[in-house]
Amino acid sequence: MSDEDSLIKTIDASRITDSRGDLFVLEEGEHLSFPIRRAYYIANTPQGVSRGFHAHKNLSQLAVCVSGSCRIVLDNGRKREDVLLDDPGRALLIGKYIWREMHDFSPDCVLLVLADAPYDEADYIRDYEIFLKETAHG
Ligand code: T46
């Protein structure tokens, strides 16, 4: 886990390497403090396209580039930090009320996201001004 003041909190997957290559493990209890209720993955992102630009009110997620790389910006309304995800053994925690943007997808990027709740559009804040208002006193 990284520096406590930073918005960038990463988790190292367990890596089991043998002559066949690497097998990475992310397991509830061991690596994750929340249950995995949904997994989705983002692939084939055209060059120059960015995604995200929203926050969640009540969703914790773990994101890992299982192939390729992308840059993720995290913003809590007071500061913004960015991190390059380019290692299938390093996963990024994205918590509640964190504005996220995904940029600079490599052509081979597959971004896997593990989430602790089913999809719910009502949980999204997709307007940055509303996000700033909702985090102003937090
Ligand atoms: C997030 C970042 C990291 C579904 O129907 N089910 C799902 O589970 C998801 C994730 C999305 N959708 C629908 C909603 C939209 O109509 O798929 C469409 C694209 O979703 P969105 O524009 O929100 O995708 P991103 O890449 O901007 O954001 C996604 C996640 O939605 C979001 O929770 O934190 O990845």
Side-chain angles (χ1 to χ4, degrees):
M1 193 80 77
S2 11
D3 167 14
E4 291 221 346
D5 291 334
S6 173
L7 300 179
I8 310 301
K9 311 266 185 223
T10 59
I11 288 176
D12 292 329
S14 296
R15 183 163 74 172
I16 300 161
T17 303
D18 60 26
S19 59
R20 299 167 296 174
D22 293 331
L23 185 153
F24 295 95
V25 182
L26 290 167
E27 188 168 326
E28 188 188 333
E30 174 94 9
H31 308 87
L32 280 151
S33 56
F34 55 79
I36 299 167
R37 304 244 192 265
R38 177 168 52 114
Y40 60 91
Y41 36 96
I42 292 167
N44 304 320
T45 309
Q47 200 173 5
V49 166
S50 295
R51 305 189 62 119
F53 301 94
H54 59 257
H56 284 279
K57 296 177 213 169
N58 195 23
L59 186 71
S60 296
Q61 301 192 107
L62 194 64
V64 57
C65 277
V66 294
S67 169
S69 63
C70 71
R71 187 170 58 85
I72 301 201
V73 173
L74 299 182
D75 177 338
N76 66 358
R78 293 179 294 285
K79 64 178 172 180
R80 277 167 93 82
E81 293 179 24
D82 74 308
V83 59
L84 182 70
L85 288 187
D86 61 353
D87 178 350
R90 186 178 180 224
L92 176 69
L93 270 171
I94 311 177
K96 301 166 190 179
Y97 283 97
I98 295 288
W99 186 265
R100 79 285 318 264
E101 300 172 7
M102 295 99 86
H103 303 281
D104 303 336
F105 288 88
S106 65
D108 58 344
C109 180
V110 179
L111 178 66
L112 170 68
V113 184
L114 307 175
D116 72 348
Y119 173 72
D120 176 9
E121 184 59 36
D123 187 61
Y124 286 70
I125 305 170
R126 293 191 182 271
D127 181 310
Y128 189 66
E129 295 307 315
I130 292 172
F131 168 72
L132 287 181
K133 274 184 198 148
E134 294 203 12
T135 52
H137 308 290

